[in-house]
């Protein structure tokens, strides 16, 4: 469980920072809520689907 939370936090941090950078470069304003929700959804999907795939392949 700790490894799953660690993976989630790493993915969330990376995606959140990348979303903020992309928003700053390509848009006129900074949308933190969009960056947060996108990073939250994608990182949760990566972690939980990855866990499901690992359990199915074992």
């Amino acid at each position: 469980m700790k490894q799953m939370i660690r993976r989630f936090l790493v993915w969330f941090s990376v995606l959140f920072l990348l979303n903020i950078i992309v928003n700053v470069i390509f848009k006129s304003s900074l949308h933190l809520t969009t960056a947060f929700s996108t990073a939250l959804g994608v990182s949760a999907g990566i972690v939980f689907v990855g866990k499901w795939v690992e359990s199915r392949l074992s």
Side-chain angles (χ1 to χ4, degrees), residues 12 15-17 19-20 23 31-40:
F12 178 79
L15 291 171
F16 184 69
L17 290 173
N19 281 325
I20 288 175
N23 278 337
H31 296 285
L32 289 177
T33 55
T34 303
F36 179 80
S37 64
T38 303
L40 183 68

Side-chain angles (χ1 to χ4, degrees), residues 9-29:
L9 290 175
V10 168
W11 275 109
F12 178 79
S13 300
V14 168
L15 291 171
F16 184 69
L17 290 173
L18 286 175
N19 281 325
I20 288 175
I21 291 169
V22 168
N23 278 337
V24 167
I25 292 173
F26 294 113
K27 298 193 178 191
S28 61
S29 61

Side-chain angles (χ1 to χ4, degrees), residues 3-4 7 46-58:
Q3 184 181 10
M4 207 163 112
R7 281 185 187 172
I46 289 171
V47 170
F48 293 125
V49 170
K51 180 70 172 169
W52 179 77
V53 168
E54 285 179 6
S55 68
R56 296 281 293 188
L57 293 176
S58 298

